[in-house]
């Protein structure tokens, strides 16, 4: 023991007496000194005394639909770190096509006696899905929180980005740049966020452009989420003469840019494109993507706090918390090309934010 104290003291650059006080969990040691001693224990391979081991408040499941879309790893990272700060150990469950389903993951989590579950863009966002699965969890009782997608009749906290407002802001941005023929690309209409985006698009186009209901129907394309879905839908819209495209995700926006270039068009000189999410690396695409930013950090922290409150017996409001999106203007949008100008020509200068 004497040799161990000496080794630890040397590694931590403190006295053996200080090491002894830390190991016996006695007062009178500065927090940074205590941490230095504990770090020395870890570095030297000594096991911490049981009284000094950080106790886990329990396991919490985190179910996300995929990791291919960068927005979901972004959510997972913030949720996991926030859970850890509250003493909980996150268990990440990632769905893949043809792989483990959400229900199967839930059964696994229940077998591990998790304290709660966070669902990100899960079946709760699908209006065609049976939501009794969530009511059964609440009846156990098991605290749950849903991110992005509201389902009435489920007594749980919901955290969402305001998809309708995001679409209205995106349309308003394109209108300010002179665009009038604006299209919308988003996913299947059974999902709540998609329904809200379509509603926001109809409202904005009617209010700002005077587009009729029939015309709006021709300008909204529902497709599969992802680059390929965005590319296919954008191709159809470009053939109908749109000069601006609002997309339901950043990946769909990248597909729209690809579709424009395959037709010999330039982004943003010929077609302006707006994404959704502001997922990592969108500032470094070619061109850098104008997009509607989800406040991922604020949403994730709110979801974890609501879940921890539920776990601790302090019921959070069983309603939806709506977070405001933010327009991030980059290089994929520009002033509309003058009538008669040759495609692919020089890009006109975008107006300053004050003129918008």
């Amino acid at each position: 023991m004497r040799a161990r104290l000496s080794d630890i003291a040397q590694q931590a650059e403190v006295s053996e007496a200080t090491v002894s006080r830390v190991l016996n969990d006695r007062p009178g040691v500065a927090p940074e000194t205590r941490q230095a001693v504990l770090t020395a224990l870890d570095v030297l391979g000594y096991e911490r005394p049981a009284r000094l081991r950080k106790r886990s408040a329990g396991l919490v499941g985190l179910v996300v639909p995929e990791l291919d879309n960068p927005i979901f790893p972004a959510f997972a990272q913030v949720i996991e770190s926030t859970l850890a700060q509250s003493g909980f150990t996150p268990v990440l469950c990632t769905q893949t096509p043809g792989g483990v389903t959400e229900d199967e993951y839930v059964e696994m989590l229940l077998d591990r006696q998790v304290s709660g579950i966070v669902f990100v863009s899960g079946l709760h966002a699908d209006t065609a899905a049976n939501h009794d699965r969530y009511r059964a969890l609440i009846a156990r009782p098991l605290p749950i929180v849903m991110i992005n997608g509201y389902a009435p009749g489920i007594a749980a906290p919901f955290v969402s980005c305001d998809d309708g407002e995001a679409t209205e802001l995106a349309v308003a941005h394109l209108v300010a740049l002179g665009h009038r023929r604006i299209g919308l690309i988003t996913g299947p209409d059974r999902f709540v966020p998609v329904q809200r985006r379509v509603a926001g698009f109809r409202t904005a186009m009617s209010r700002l452009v005077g587009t009729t209901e029939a015309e709006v129907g021709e300008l909204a394309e529902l497709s599969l989420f992802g680059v390929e879905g965005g590319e296919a839908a954008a191709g159809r819209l470009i053939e109908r003469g749109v000069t601006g495209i609002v997309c339901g995700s950043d990946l769909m926006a990248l597909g729209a840019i690809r579709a424009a270039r395959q037709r010999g068009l330039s982004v943003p000189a010929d077609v302006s494109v707006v994404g959704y999410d502001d997922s990592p690396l969108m500032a470094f695409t070619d061109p850098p993507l104008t997009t509607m930013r989800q406040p991922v950090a604020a949403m994730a922290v709110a979801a974890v706090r609501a879940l921890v409150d539920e776990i601790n017996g302090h019921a959070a409001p069983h309603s939806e918390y709506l977070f405001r999106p933010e327009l991030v203007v980059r290089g994929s949008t520009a002033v509309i090309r003058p009538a008669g100008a040759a495609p692919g020509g020089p890009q006109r200068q975008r107006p300053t934010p004050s003129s918008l």
Side-chain angles (χ1 to χ4, degrees):
M1 183 63 181
R2 189 72 185 174
R4 289 181 59 184
L5 284 176
S6 175
D7 294 340
I8 298 167
Q10 183 178 1
Q11 178 68 31
E13 298 182 350
V14 298
S15 67
E16 292 183 22
T18 299
V19 173
S20 178
R21 295 183 71 85
V22 172
L23 295 181
N24 289 287
D25 201 20
R26 292 176 180 169
V29 181
E32 57 272 15
T33 303
R34 184 180 298 273
Q35 185 58 49
V37 172
L38 295 178
T39 301
L41 281 173
D42 298 337
V43 170
L44 295 173
Y46 293 136
E47 185 175 349
R48 294 188 183 190
R51 69 174 73 88
L52 299 180
R53 296 173 196 162
K54 186 175 180 180
R55 293 176 175 83
S56 172
L59 302 176
V60 168
L62 171 55
V63 182
V64 297
E66 57 171 308
L67 293 180
D68 292 337
N69 187 333
I71 196 62
F72 295 124
F75 268 113
Q77 182 176 14
V78 179
I79 292 171
E80 288 181 344
S81 63
T82 308
L83 282 170
Q85 291 171 12
S86 300
F88 290 92
T89 302
V91 180
L92 179 62
C93 302
T94 306
Q95 301 174 66
T96 55
V100 180
T101 66
E102 180 178 305
D103 290 336
E104 290 170 335
Y105 270 130
V106 168
E107 288 300 321
M108 295 178 190
L109 293 172
L110 293 177
D111 288 343
R112 287 160 177 76
Q113 299 181 331
V114 294
S115 301
I117 304 177
V118 179
F119 295 92
V120 181
S121 299
L123 291 173
H124 63 278
D126 189 344
T127 58
N130 187 342
H131 294 153
D132 287 342
R133 51 174 52 88
Y134 301 116
R135 298 184 185 94
L137 291 175
I138 295 170
R140 291 183 67 93
L142 180 74
I144 60 175
V145 172
M146 321 286 197
I147 295 179
N148 280 339
Y150 178 69
I154 298 178
F158 291 82
V159 175
S160 301
C161 186
D162 193 333
D163 298 285
E165 182 179 7
T167 306
E168 290 188 47
L169 289 172
V171 171
H173 169 62
L174 293 175
V175 170
L177 294 174
H179 297 272
R180 295 296 181 269
R181 189 73 175 168
I182 300 170
L184 172 69
I185 296 173
T186 188
D189 63 358
R190 70 177 189 271
F191 295 109
V192 172
V194 170
Q195 295 173 359
R196 291 176 171 178
R197 287 175 194 144
V198 172
F201 181 71
R202 292 179 184 277
T203 299
M205 291 296 289
S206 174
R207 176 170 55 87
L208 300 175
V209 185
T211 308
T212 66
E213 187 73 16
E215 291 172 332
V216 169
E218 295 179 358
L219 296 173
E221 279 287 336
L222 304 184
S223 185
L224 297 176
F225 283 114
V227 175
E228 293 77 11
E231 180 180 353
R236 295 189 290 270
L237 289 176
I238 291 172
E239 291 171 1
R240 296 171 197 161
V242 302
T243 61
I245 301 176
V246 176
C247 301
S249 73
D250 289 339
L251 295 185
M252 297 186 94
L254 296 182
I257 293 173
R258 179 193 291 177
R261 287 176 172 167
Q262 286 178 343
R263 288 159 176 78
L265 300 176
S266 172
V267 176
D270 300 307
V271 179
S272 288
V273 177
V274 181
Y276 183 90
D277 286 333
D278 194 29
S279 47
L281 303 181
M282 290 304 110
F284 307 100
T285 58
D286 179 24
L289 186 67
T290 294
T291 186
M292 298 304 306
R293 175 182 293 161
Q294 284 199 70
V296 171
M299 293 171 63
V301 169
V304 171
R305 286 178 177 172
L307 184 71
V308 171
D309 283 346
E310 293 267 333
I311 292 172
N312 293 332
H314 309 296
H318 295 159
S319 58
E320 185 178 28
Y321 301 86
L322 277 180
F323 285 74
R324 182 179 175 84
E326 177 186 357
L327 173 64
V328 181
V329 180
R330 298 194 181 103
S332 65
T333 54
V335 174
I336 189 171
R337 179 186 302 282
Q347 174 185 335
R348 292 178 62 191
Q349 183 67 33
R350 286 200 301 271
T352 62
S354 59
S355 66
L356 292 177

